[in-house]
Amino acid sequence: MSKIPFAAFAIVVLCSACSSKSTTSQQQDAKSGPQAAARATPELSVAEVATALREKRATVVDANGLETRQKYGVVPGAVLLSDHRSYALTELPSDKKQPLVFYCGGTQCRASDAAASRAQSAGYASVSVMREGITGWVRAGQPVAGITKS
């Protein structure tokens, strides 16, 4: 028997083992990737966020765009991000222990997840998301502030 076919057979067997290991690694990465991190980010209700703000226990961060802010307003005192994906980290409080609550348009919006993930990656220790967003905030009868033109 020639050594070449045996070597080719060995490579195929090894590559298939690598491939299945790679698939397993990909499955594990999918479970621990950015979407999983977003799912792992604690979610707070509108009532919990309102209480945290009233008690000055958190900073609220608005990940909405201008159009949504103009339509619904913003949570009073919210930090308004320039962009939910590529905002400058200097837009966030300098104290990385300060609890941050990110929100966007509503339950289907994921801009808050992207913004929260960026903060977590930058070392912010206490990051959560208000899943109901500004629409849930308004629906709950919470106060809103208008936006000022800069």
Side-chain angles (χ1 to χ4, degrees):
M1 179 172 169
S2 168
K3 291 183 180 183
I4 294 175
F6 177 76
F9 174 77
I11 291 172
V12 169
V13 170
L14 288 174
C15 287
S16 67
C18 293
S19 176
S20 63
K21 182 176 180 184
S22 176
T23 302
T24 302
S25 296
Q26 289 171 353
Q27 289 169 344
Q28 288 172 344
D29 288 348
K31 292 178 185 173
S32 61
Q35 291 177 338
R39 276 184 254 120
T41 302
E43 294 183 9
L44 299 178
S45 69
V46 168
E48 290 170 318
V49 174
T51 299
L53 285 175
R54 192 172 45 256
E55 297 174 357
K56 300 183 187 321
R57 291 186 286 120
T59 298
V60 178
V61 184
D62 184 308
N64 286 315
L66 181 60
E67 187 177 315
T68 302
R69 290 175 183 158
Q70 288 174 333
K71 183 174 181 178
Y72 297 102
V74 299
V75 173
V79 171
L80 307 180
L81 295 180
S82 57
D83 180 84
H84 70 276
R85 284 190 187 105
S86 61
Y87 61 89
L89 293 173
T90 56
E91 295 177 46
L92 299 177
S94 59
D95 179 4
K96 291 189 176 185
K97 293 179 184 172
Q98 172 67 28
L100 302 177
V101 180
F102 290 81
Y103 73 90
C104 55
T107 58
Q108 299 302 309
C109 179
R110 291 298 179 258
S112 57
D113 295 306
S117 179
R118 181 164 165 73
Q120 288 170 321
S121 294
Y124 283 84
S126 179
V127 175
S128 58
V129 171
M130 180 174 68
R131 177 66 54 220
E132 296 163 83
I134 192 64
T135 56
W137 182 265
V138 169
R139 203 171 29 255
Q142 294 294 335
V144 293
I147 59 169
T148 57
K149 295 184 179 180
S150 42

